[in-house]
Amino acid sequence: MDSGITVAGSGQVSAPADVLRLSLSVGHDAADVATAVAEVAERTDAVRAALREQGVEAADIQTSAVNVYPQYADSMRVAGYRASHSLTVTTKDLTGFGRLLNAAVGAVGNDLGLEQLQFDIADKLPLLERARELAFAQARQKADQLAALAGQSLGSIAAVNESFGHIPIRELAAKSVSLGFDSGIGVTPGDQTVELSLEVRWSWA
């Protein structure tokens, strides 16, 4: 086994959120599959149109899931079918939550569900690069100290392993929307944190 030392270092960098993501669902119940599928497609189109009218680009309204499943009565007899579409809506307007949700509710009423609200950072690359620098500096500091304690000198780096995590500071979830929201509703974006860990192995000189 090669002699040397392996140490871990971590770095965290925070920055204000610049993206708001809404996860919405549109569902509809019907007696048969064909009707459920057709009706939910029509309602999903209505939600898309309502969001487009609020300035959301078509490319920022994406379908993330489509589901159709039977609904059972107490006797386990199939009583109907439910179809649903899940949409992920992305906007740079961090204060537009109430306005966008009102528009979607206005389009389909109680057929709309709010699954999640999350703030994020669109371009994490600069944060990752800084977190990597901090993680490596911490690892090197540990390695220098341990080498000195062991009476050794550090040689070349033999291996580096990296792991990355993103910590969303603000995330809200709900299962259904039955009433409109005040268009001025306040949600605080806060900072988003990027965390990166390195495991670095040095050979002895």
Side-chain angles (χ1 to χ4, degrees):
M1 181 176 179
D2 293 338
S3 61
I5 185 172
T6 300
V7 296
S10 63
Q12 283 192 359
V13 181
S14 298
D18 59 8
V19 168
L20 168 62
R21 290 193 177 92
L22 297 176
S23 295
L24 304 176
S25 64
V26 183
H28 188 73
D29 300 332
D32 59 86
V33 171
T35 301
V37 169
E39 291 289 342
V40 81
E42 180 179 333
R43 284 162 171 74
T44 301
D45 288 343
V47 170
R48 289 180 181 274
L51 294 173
R52 291 293 307 279
E53 289 178 1
Q54 296 298 316
V56 181
E57 297 293 332
D60 292 329
I61 308 172
Q62 299 182 351
T63 300
S64 54
V66 176
N67 293 290
V68 182
Y69 50 88
Q71 293 184 307
Y72 296 94
D74 292 339
S75 61
M76 294 305 293
R77 175 182 54 85
V78 174
Y81 296 86
R82 180 170 183 81
S84 66
H85 289 184
S86 296
L87 299 175
T88 300
V89 183
T90 304
T91 177
K92 293 280 190 179
D93 182 3
L94 302 187
T95 64
F97 167 64
R99 176 174 54 81
L100 295 179
L101 196 55
N102 270 340
V105 170
V108 295
N110 290 343
D111 281 340
L112 185 82
L114 171 63
E115 301 295 336
Q116 189 180 79
L117 177 155
Q118 182 178 340
F119 293 98
D120 201 358
I121 296 172
D123 182 11
K124 299 184 183 69
L125 182 58
L127 302 182
L128 280 169
E129 291 176 343
R130 179 55 182 156
R132 187 176 292 115
E133 292 170 356
L134 294 173
F136 188 85
Q138 185 184 87
R140 179 65 195 233
Q141 183 180 27
K142 289 181 181 179
D144 284 338
Q145 182 185 26
L146 290 170
L149 290 172
Q152 299 281 356
S153 297
L154 294 179
S156 60
I157 293 177
V160 179
N161 293 316
E162 177 180 291
S163 59
F164 157 71
H166 172 225
I167 306 172
I169 301 302
R170 172 71 64 171
E171 182 174 302
L172 305 175
K175 286 301 179 184
S176 64
V177 179
S178 59
L179 297 173
F181 281 73
D182 179 354
S183 61
I185 189 171
V187 288
T188 305
D191 286 347
Q192 306 294 292
T193 299
V194 168
E195 181 176 12
L196 187 145
S197 297
L198 294 177
E199 185 179 82
V200 187
R201 178 170 179 77
W202 274 271
S203 300
W204 297 129

